[in-house]
Amino acid sequence: MGLQNFWKSLHENHDSYTYSAISNDLYHWDVCGKEINYNSHEGPNVFELGGKKWMITDEWNGLGVYETQDYTHWERQGYILLYASEFFQ
């Protein structure tokens, strides 16, 4: 099957930061640790687009955008849909 990655935002005692885990069989997982701790967020979504690797997180007032080369070291690229909640009031 090959190496699989998993990203999850942990709440409560973990400040709503993104942590990662890896598995070779999808049954046994090894926690790698904290990956995104820029600010509190939830719902990390990791994907490839245009030959680059991206993560989008919900920061409750816009979406945080991150890029990586190795799925481990993420660089913040800014926000998208900032203040989008104003449209739903």
Side-chain angles (χ1 to χ4, degrees):
M1 169 168 281
L3 189 63
Q4 302 294 311
N5 294 68
F6 177 75
W7 292 269
K8 172 75 173 141
S9 177
L10 299 177
H11 301 287
E12 298 158 4
N13 296 331
H14 300 283
D15 298 318
S16 295
Y17 296 153
T18 294
Y19 290 73
S20 66
I22 57 173
S23 174
N24 283 313
D25 60 10
L26 299 179
Y27 292 101
H28 304 93
W29 291 88
D30 294 315
V31 176
C32 299
K34 191 183 304 182
E35 299 231 2
I36 303 290
N37 62 352
Y38 183 83
N39 56 12
S40 295
H41 60 270
E42 65 183 354
N45 187 344
V46 176
F47 58 95
E48 290 188 31
L49 179 66
K52 296 184 178 185
K53 301 164 186 75
W54 302 96
M55 180 187 295
I56 304 291
T57 61
D58 181 356
E59 297 181 357
W60 304 294
N61 192 13
L63 301 177
V65 180
Y66 302 85
E67 183 183 356
T68 185
Q69 298 295 318
D70 60 6
Y71 290 109
T72 301
H73 301 94
W74 296 91
E75 293 183 32
R76 184 153 176 95
Q77 301 299 311
Y79 288 98
I80 58 174
L81 301 176
L82 190 58
Y83 308 116
S85 62
E86 293 175 3
F87 295 107
F88 300 104
Q89 294 180 5

